[in-house]
Amino acid sequence: EEFSLAVRAAALLANNALQDPSDPAWRRLRSSNGALWERLGDEGFRLLEACGYEREAADHEVFWVLPADVPRRHLASAVRVLRAAADHGQEWLREELASAAAAAAAAAAQRPAPPTERQPNRPRASDLHGDH
């Protein structure tokens, strides 16, 4: 029940920020807001972080801020995943995240390694001692 409430609240906040990006009420959330904590809890704030929100300390308070440069498509995708998680549950979300992480790791493994900086040829010890 707590997970479902946290996911639904995070989806609602992220969707509101997506639908009305100019409204600071959805882009800057005060973590000391009791009603917000009651609905989100630690897990919900982690979900908001996955949506692109960042923790920011200002004036002796902590805020969760959605930067203006977070792509709308990222936020829209996050909202879709959160809504699906609310419908399918926590285990489904864990499986989806594990699957996505495995796919990302497989894709990274298939990318060619970046070129390494070539070290200049260093003289061998025998070159320094005239042992040839």
Side-chain angles (χ1 to χ4, degrees):
E1 181 66 32
E2 283 180 34
F3 173 78
S4 180
L5 182 61
V7 173
R8 289 181 195 285
L12 177 67
L13 291 166
N15 188 59
N16 287 346
L18 180 65
Q19 298 303 316
D20 193 1
S22 64
D23 188 345
W26 310 120
R27 300 190 75 81
R28 191 165 196 257
L29 310 171
R30 186 183 311 268
S31 66
S32 62
N33 179 327
L36 196 60
W37 264 107
E38 188 178 309
R39 288 174 181 83
L40 289 170
D42 287 332
E43 191 153 14
F45 279 104
R46 283 193 299 272
L47 293 170
L48 285 178
E49 191 172 22
C51 291
Y53 281 81
E54 297 175 354
R55 189 175 186 272
E56 182 181 285
D59 300 325
H60 306 291
E61 286 200 68
V62 175
F63 296 89
W64 288 88
V65 179
L66 183 63
D69 62 351
V70 170
R72 287 182 56 81
R73 70 182 181 284
H74 171 80
L75 196 54
S77 294
V79 168
R80 282 193 300 275
V81 169
L82 289 173
R83 286 179 173 163
D87 291 340
H88 299 291
Q90 191 170 12
E91 190 56 37
W92 175 88
L93 181 59
R94 283 191 183 119
E95 290 171 7
E96 287 297 307
L97 292 174
S99 176
Q110 291 181 353
R111 274 187 242 126
T116 57
E117 196 173 307
R118 186 181 154 113
Q119 296 292 325
N121 290 335
R122 295 186 178 166
R124 294 175 292 196
S126 60
D127 293 338
L128 298 174
H129 299 293
D131 293 342
H132 8 354

